[in-house]
């Protein structure tokens, strides 16, 4: 089947569609992007590439402003300061260093002459910084245009998905995914590599709120600069290693899109509460605000600062000395998903008496979804009393439990963070009801036949119990 026919049958193409068509036909990701654009516009490839670069003309001017005369309310003259330094400025990789400097300069320029936005002006910063770095590194114009086409295609999806405030679908999120795809192309990776890189680049950006970087000095620099670093690392992993990525890009992007409005409603208000004392504003604007409102804001700010100090002090009070900070090693990849449930199982093991006949594991939805890594840990703790560091037992426990004929029941519980382990033996039933915490820690809510005995067991085993 002709490429054009395959594209027309699936148009409009998702990122996953592009990967699929490119992979089937041994094409580059960008080839399918450009073929679709030819069909959409009726223009030839050369015309499309010319117009793609024209999309960046204003934003490249903004970079020049940021590198020279620009001054930003939030970043000051950081762009020109970096530009005037000798040698490497931020990173000892010539291309990445340039991309970072030009990205920050784009944001400074954005606050002076504005940027043509994609999902927002935030992701236009790493897009433009990357393109500027390519030009300054001697890439041919046609090659820069191809990479620009990739960036714009990825950005176009985020542009639709961004419906409210949130760097998860703009500067950091969209920027990371687009830079990952662009870098795979420069590294000579395949369409499948592009997919893998975008998936792992998007993951750490999901749920990242936007508001702190909008009004607080400096914070936006690490969001937009982070897109360059996160995207670059993701591309390197995808192209240079065999790291398994089993999530399709369309699934990851869909999840990010759905979480985006939830983040705006649930996370942003908290961010605003704590960051508002540090919002930058302008005196001519403040003169227009009623004094009563400003007094109310000042009182609220003072209350927030007191609240923050109390929270910080509580963290300090719960911290152990640096000579004894790290907990016991945890196999399975997560001290929260594996370590804490395993330790709940260990407490139940030493609480129980007699020969074990059955283990019932009740987990809240997130832990239940991660049962592939935590159930072996729970069973090695509950049946054998093994510690979270026992890698050999972790690998063998499923087979051992089956050989011994011990029944196992795994239940999804709707209660948030619950991890409840019940052991049935020939002498009775023993239960530990706990809540999940990171670092292998847990909240011990109840235990039968004795909560105090369970607490004593935890202390003897060195398992950290928290409030």
């Amino acid at each position: 089947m002709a490429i054009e026919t395959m594209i027309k049958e699936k148009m409009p193409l998702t990122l996953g569609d592009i990967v699929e068509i490119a992979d089937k036909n041994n094409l580059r990701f960008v080839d399918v992007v450009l073929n679709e654009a030819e069909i959409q516009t009726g223009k030839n490839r050369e015309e499309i590439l010319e117009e793609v670069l024209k999309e960046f003309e204003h934003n490249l001017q903004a970079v020049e402003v940021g590198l020279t005369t620009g001054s930003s309310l939030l970043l000051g003259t950081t762009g020109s300061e970096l530009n005037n330094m000798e040698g490497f400025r931020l990173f000892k990789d010539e291309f990445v260093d340039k991309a970072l400097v030009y990205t920050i300069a784009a944001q400074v320029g954005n606050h002076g002459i504005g940027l043509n936005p994609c999902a927002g002006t935030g992701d236009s910063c790493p897009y433009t910084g990357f393109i500027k770095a390519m030009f300054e590194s001697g890439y041919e114009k046609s090659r820069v245009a191809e990479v620009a086409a990739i960036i714009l295609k990825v950005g176009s999806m985020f542009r639709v998905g961004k419906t409210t405030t949130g760097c998860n679908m703009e500067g950091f999120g969209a920027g990371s995914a687009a830079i990952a795809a662009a870098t795979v192309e420069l590294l000579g990776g395949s369409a499948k590599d592009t997919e893998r890189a975008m998936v792992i680049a998007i993951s750490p950006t999901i749920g990242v709120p936007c508001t702190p970087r909008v009004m607080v000095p400096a914070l936006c620099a690490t969001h937009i600069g982070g897109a360059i670093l996160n995207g670059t690392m993701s591309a390197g992993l995808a192209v240079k290693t065999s790291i398994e990525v089993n999530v399709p890009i369309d699934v990851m992007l869909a999840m990010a899109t759905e979480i985006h409005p939830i983040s705006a409603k649930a996370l942003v208000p908290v961010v605003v509460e704590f960051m508002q004392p540090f919002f930058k504003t302008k005196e001519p604007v403040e003169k227009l605000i009623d004094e009563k409102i400003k007094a109310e804001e000042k009182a609220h700010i003072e209350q927030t600062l007191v609240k923050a100090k109390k929270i910080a002090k509580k963290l300090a009070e719960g911290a152990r000395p640096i000579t004894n900070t790290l907990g016991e090693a945890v196999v399975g990849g997560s001290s929260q998903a594996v370590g804490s449930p395993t330790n709940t199982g260990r407490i139940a093991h030493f609480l129980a008496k007699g020969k074990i006949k059955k283990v019932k594991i009740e987990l809240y939805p997130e832990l239940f979804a991660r049962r592939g890594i935590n159930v072996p840990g729970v069973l090695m703790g509950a049946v054998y009393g093994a510690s979270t560091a026992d890698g050999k037992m972790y690998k063998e426990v499923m087979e051992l439990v089956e050989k011994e004929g011990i029944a196992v029941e795994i239940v999804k519980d709707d209660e948030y963070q619950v991890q409840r382990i019940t052991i049935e033996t020939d002498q009775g039933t023993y239960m530990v009801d706990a809540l999940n915490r990171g670092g292998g820690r847990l909240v011990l809510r109840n235990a039968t036949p004795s909560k105090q005995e369970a607490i004593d067991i935890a202390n003897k085993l060195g398992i950290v119990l928290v409030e």
Side-chain angles (χ1 to χ4, degrees):
M1 184 184 297
I3 301 300
E4 184 175 334
T5 302
M6 294 181 67
I7 293 173
K8 285 182 177 179
E9 285 184 352
K10 289 182 175 290
M11 283 180 65
L13 300 184
T14 68
L15 295 180
D17 291 335
I18 295 170
V19 170
E20 180 183 354
I21 293 171
D23 185 57
K24 284 183 178 178
N25 294 278
N26 197 27
L27 295 172
R28 298 177 302 164
F29 183 86
V30 69
D31 291 327
V32 180
V33 170
L34 293 173
N35 281 332
E36 182 191 28
E38 289 178 54
I39 296 169
Q40 289 173 323
T41 65
K43 297 176 180 179
N44 62 40
R45 181 167 295 205
E46 289 71 26
E47 292 172 325
I48 290 168
L49 291 175
E50 282 290 334
E51 293 193 11
V52 162
L53 286 182
K54 285 181 181 178
E55 293 241 34
F56 285 93
E57 285 181 352
H58 175 81
N59 291 355
L60 287 169
Q61 291 175 19
V63 173
E64 292 304 320
V65 170
L67 291 172
T68 53
T69 60
S71 180
S72 160
L73 177 68
L74 302 180
L75 296 180
T77 57
T78 306
S80 59
E81 290 175 36
L82 291 169
N83 190 44
N84 291 328
M85 292 178 185
E86 295 291 332
F88 295 112
R89 282 74 56 92
L90 293 169
F91 216 81
K92 288 190 176 181
D93 176 294
E94 185 175 359
F95 183 83
V96 172
D97 189 54
K98 287 179 179 178
L100 284 170
V101 172
Y102 299 151
T103 293
I104 291 172
Q107 182 70 318
V108 175
N110 177 31
H111 295 154
I113 67 170
L115 289 179
N116 293 125
C118 190
T121 54
D123 54 313
S124 289
C125 294
Y127 298 169
T128 311
F130 196 89
I131 294 302
K132 171 73 171 175
M134 287 191 69
F135 276 124
E136 294 299 316
S137 299
Y139 283 94
E140 293 183 0
K141 183 179 178 181
S142 60
R143 186 67 169 142
V144 178
E146 286 185 336
V147 170
I150 293 172
I151 288 173
L152 291 176
K153 185 61 182 180
V154 176
S156 72
M157 301 298 178
F158 284 87
R159 184 175 174 83
V160 178
K162 181 174 169 62
T163 57
T164 183
T165 182
C167 206
N168 44 8
M169 292 296 286
E170 189 187 333
F172 190 32
S176 292
I179 297 307
T183 304
V184 169
E185 175 60 27
L186 293 188
L187 293 174
S190 67
K192 282 290 188 181
D193 291 334
T194 304
E195 178 173 42
R196 291 162 66 229
M198 287 190 291
V199 167
I200 56 180
I202 291 172
S203 182
T205 73
I206 291 175
V208 176
C210 183
T211 301
R213 73 175 184 85
V214 172
M215 295 300 295
V216 180
L219 299 192
C220 63
T222 49
H223 282 240
I224 58 175
I228 297 290
L229 296 178
N230 185 32
T232 300
M233 180 183 72
S234 299
L237 287 170
V239 174
K240 297 181 180 182
T241 78
S242 60
I243 190 169
E244 181 185 5
V245 180
N246 64 358
V247 181
I249 179 58
D250 289 344
V251 173
M252 182 62 79
L253 185 53
M255 178 174 68
T257 302
E258 292 297 297
I259 290 175
H260 173 57
I262 298 172
S263 171
K265 292 178 181 179
L267 299 183
V268 170
V270 177
V271 174
V272 172
E273 178 188 3
F274 283 93
M275 290 293 102
Q276 189 173 357
F278 311 102
F279 283 3
K280 289 280 283 187
T281 186
K282 297 180 179 179
E283 186 57 32
V285 175
E286 291 305 293
K287 288 181 179 179
L288 304 176
I289 305 302
D290 186 271
E291 290 299 321
K292 182 180 179 181
I293 294 176
K294 287 195 283 188
E296 291 173 352
E297 288 182 343
K298 182 179 179 182
H300 173 70
I301 287 170
E302 291 173 353
Q303 292 170 4
T304 300
L305 294 176
V306 170
K307 179 180 178 179
K309 187 66 176 180
K310 286 182 178 178
I311 294 172
K313 183 61 70 174
K314 186 175 181 181
L315 296 175
E317 290 169 350
R320 296 193 293 186
I322 59 173
T323 54
N324 185 30
T325 297
L326 301 182
E328 188 173 25
V330 178
V331 297
S334 172
S335 65
Q336 182 168 351
V338 180
S340 185
T342 298
N343 279 336
T344 303
R346 290 175 71 197
I347 295 171
H349 172 84
F350 289 102
L351 190 64
K353 295 177 175 59
K355 182 176 176 58
I356 296 175
K357 299 188 295 181
K358 179 180 178 179
V359 177
K360 181 179 180 181
I361 305 170
E362 297 173 81
L363 304 170
Y364 82 104
E366 182 187 339
L367 286 181
F368 185 82
R370 301 171 77 176
R371 58 190 178 273
I373 61 172
N374 58 42
V375 167
V378 171
L379 289 176
M380 75 180 192
V383 178
Y384 301 104
S387 81
T388 59
D390 195 334
K392 184 174 183 295
M393 177 60 75
Y394 183 80
K395 293 176 182 178
E396 298 174 352
V397 66
M398 300 306 298
E399 184 178 347
L400 291 173
V401 168
E402 185 177 3
K403 283 183 177 178
E404 292 194 32
I406 298 172
V408 178
E409 181 182 2
I410 308 170
V411 177
K412 181 166 69 172
D413 192 298
D414 291 332
E415 185 179 359
Y416 183 59
Q417 293 187 326
V418 73
Q419 50 192 30
R420 188 179 301 109
I421 312 301
T422 304
I423 298 177
E424 295 180 15
T425 77
D426 56 4
Q427 293 188 30
T429 299
Y430 307 85
M431 180 276 296
V432 175
D433 182 6
L435 297 179
N436 185 275
R437 293 293 184 270
R441 304 170 304 155
L442 57 95
V443 176
L444 183 56
R445 295 197 301 181
N446 197 11
T448 55
S450 168
K451 179 179 178 181
Q452 185 56 53
E453 186 180 350
I455 292 172
D456 294 340
I457 289 169
N459 291 333
K460 184 177 181 180
L461 294 174
I463 296 172
V464 178
L465 304 180
V466 295
E467 294 293 327

